[in-house]
């Protein structure tokens, strides 16, 4: 069996990581990682969809998914189909945005 090779991400590369999502309509969208965070004991990822040119979407849409890594550190995302779980993740993400805004106001 071939050994999987994992290439670590450097600090200079971290802002350029993209996630490709296959949507229900058969299309694929590239997303920028905003953050990975914890809510209600689980990990989630906030993704910002990019347009065809790789620019951030002007509408400010953000996708939230459940996030996990396997024992080799390979990441995966999973659709959140439970409404209560999604609300808990969305509430925590909103709190983080509010905290960041408040911190910016203090500076």
């Amino acid at each position: 069996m071939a050994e999987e090779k994992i290439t670590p991400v450097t600090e200079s590369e971290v802002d350029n990581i993209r996630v490709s999502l296959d949507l229900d309509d058969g299309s694929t969208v590239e997303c920028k990682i905003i953050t990975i965070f914890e809510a209600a004991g689980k990990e989630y990822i906030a993704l910002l969809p990019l347009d065809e040119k790789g620019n951030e979407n002007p509408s400010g849409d953000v996708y939230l998914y459940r996030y996990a890594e396997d024992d080799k550190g390979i990441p995966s995302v999973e659709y959140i189909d439970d409404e209560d779980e999604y609300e808990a993740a969305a509430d925590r993400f909103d709190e983080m945005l509010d905290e960041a805004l408040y911190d910016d106001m203090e500076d």
Side-chain angles (χ1 to χ4, degrees):
M1 184 161 98
E3 184 68 27
E4 288 185 43
K5 186 175 182 179
I6 300 170
T7 305
V9 177
T10 65
E11 284 294 321
S12 64
E13 295 171 323
V14 75
D15 287 333
N16 294 319
I17 297 174
R18 300 293 182 256
V19 174
S20 295
L21 296 176
D22 296 326
L23 303 179
D24 289 339
D25 65 4
S27 64
T28 300
V29 63
E30 292 289 315
C31 298
K32 176 181 176 180
I33 298 173
I34 299 173
T35 189
I36 298 170
F37 63 98
E38 186 176 320
K42 295 181 182 177
E43 286 197 278
Y44 298 93
I45 188 168
L47 302 171
L48 181 66
L50 304 174
D51 67 15
E52 305 81 36
K53 296 179 183 177
N55 298 315
E56 296 179 5
N57 70 71
S59 66
D61 290 340
V62 173
Y63 299 156
L64 298 178
Y65 283 84
R66 194 176 304 116
Y67 176 82
E69 291 182 10
D70 67 13
D71 57 351
K72 293 184 180 182
I74 306 296
S76 65
V77 296
E78 184 179 338
Y79 181 76
I80 306 167
D81 55 3
D82 180 80
E83 188 175 322
D84 291 335
E85 180 183 357
Y86 183 86
E87 285 299 318
D91 288 346
R92 178 63 190 129
F93 182 69
D94 287 342
E95 288 172 7
M96 291 171 54
L97 291 177
D98 290 344
E99 291 166 5
L101 180 62
Y102 181 76
D103 288 346
D104 285 346
M105 289 173 46
E106 287 188 331
D107 291 337

